[in-house]
Amino acid sequence: MQHIGLFFGSFNPIHTGHLIIASYMANYTELDEVWLVVTPHNPLKKKDSLINQYDRLEMVNLAIETAENIRSSPIEFSLPQPSYTIDTLTHLHEKYPEKAFTLIMGSDNLVSLHKWKNYEVILRDYRILVYPRPDYPAPAEWADHPSITITDTPLMEFSSTFIRNAVKAGKNIRYFVPDSVMAFIENKGLYR
């Protein structure tokens, strides 16, 4: 059975931090592959700062062009909005019964896991690999949960918000995003 890690995100835009996390999960855990699942709209986030989902997917594809075990997935584009993780997991499980899916999430998301739709079912039926986020130590309540593994993924101190604000301010974002993504942002005039 192939083990797939699902790394959900708006990837608005994808940046080096996302890629380092995906690479760590694909190469330093038992996962065979990581799928970057581009979410059209996270129910817990404001929608107005999001650019077009196809532009975000295109940036993800540009960023992972040479990656061996990292793929993109637009699966949520065709599901009802807003998309809830449990519904996407159910859909993927039906579509790919031969694959075992694991969630990849930041410790900041773990803090709000109890607010997720059917989170008990997620914990019962799926594994969760957690990467550290600045200022969000993994909550003690989840420390010993059999479905949750806190990983030693390198800590990323910057975010997509940082990138968007940098672009808006006319700052150089080289090395924060892959060159192909930087060119795409410039050519399309995104985040200005």
Side-chain angles (χ1 to χ4, degrees), residues 107 110-111 136-145 148 150:
S107 54
L110 195 55
V111 171
Y136 287 96
E141 64 186 290
W142 301 115
D144 298 321
H145 196 286
I148 295 174
I150 312 294

Side-chain angles (χ1 to χ4, degrees), residues 9-150:
S10 43
F11 301 110
N12 186 32
I14 189 166
H15 55 68
T16 312
H18 294 130
L19 297 168
I20 289 170
I21 293 164
S23 179
Y24 180 91
M25 294 295 179
N27 295 294
Y28 295 87
T29 69
E30 72 286 352
L31 297 176
D32 299 307
E33 231 174 44
V34 169
W35 293 3
L36 301 177
V37 182
V38 180
T39 55
H41 176 220
N42 173 338
L44 301 176
K45 280 189 181 173
K46 286 199 188 89
K47 201 169 186 174
D48 55 6
S49 63
L50 274 186
I51 63 159
N52 178 300
Q53 62 196 35
Y54 295 100
D55 283 342
R56 291 184 284 120
L57 178 64
E58 180 59 24
M59 287 189 282
V60 168
N61 287 330
L62 288 167
I64 60 172
E65 255 173 347
T66 59
E68 288 172 21
N69 45 8
I70 303 172
R71 294 181 24 196
S72 68
S73 172
I75 192 83
E76 290 195 337
F77 291 14
S78 58
L79 298 178
Q81 301 294 316
S83 28
Y84 293 94
T85 303
I86 187 61
D87 300 335
T88 306
L89 287 167
T90 303
H91 180 79
L92 284 168
H93 184 68
E94 288 166 5
K95 190 171 177 178
Y96 304 103
E98 76 289 356
K99 296 184 191 306
F101 292 102
T102 297
L103 276 179
I104 295 170
M105 71 169 63
S107 54
D108 54 333
N109 282 318
L110 195 55
V111 171
S112 64
L113 184 64
H114 62 281
K115 293 181 185 167
W116 289 28
K117 178 182 172 187
N118 297 3
Y119 78 95
E120 306 94 335
V121 178
I122 295 174
L123 286 169
R124 185 192 72 203
D125 296 346
Y126 298 93
R127 293 199 47 241
I128 301 176
L129 293 175
V130 179
Y131 59 88
R133 289 294 304 264
D135 306 320
Y136 287 96
E141 64 186 290
W142 301 115
D144 298 321
H145 196 286
S147 298
I148 295 174
T149 304
I150 312 294

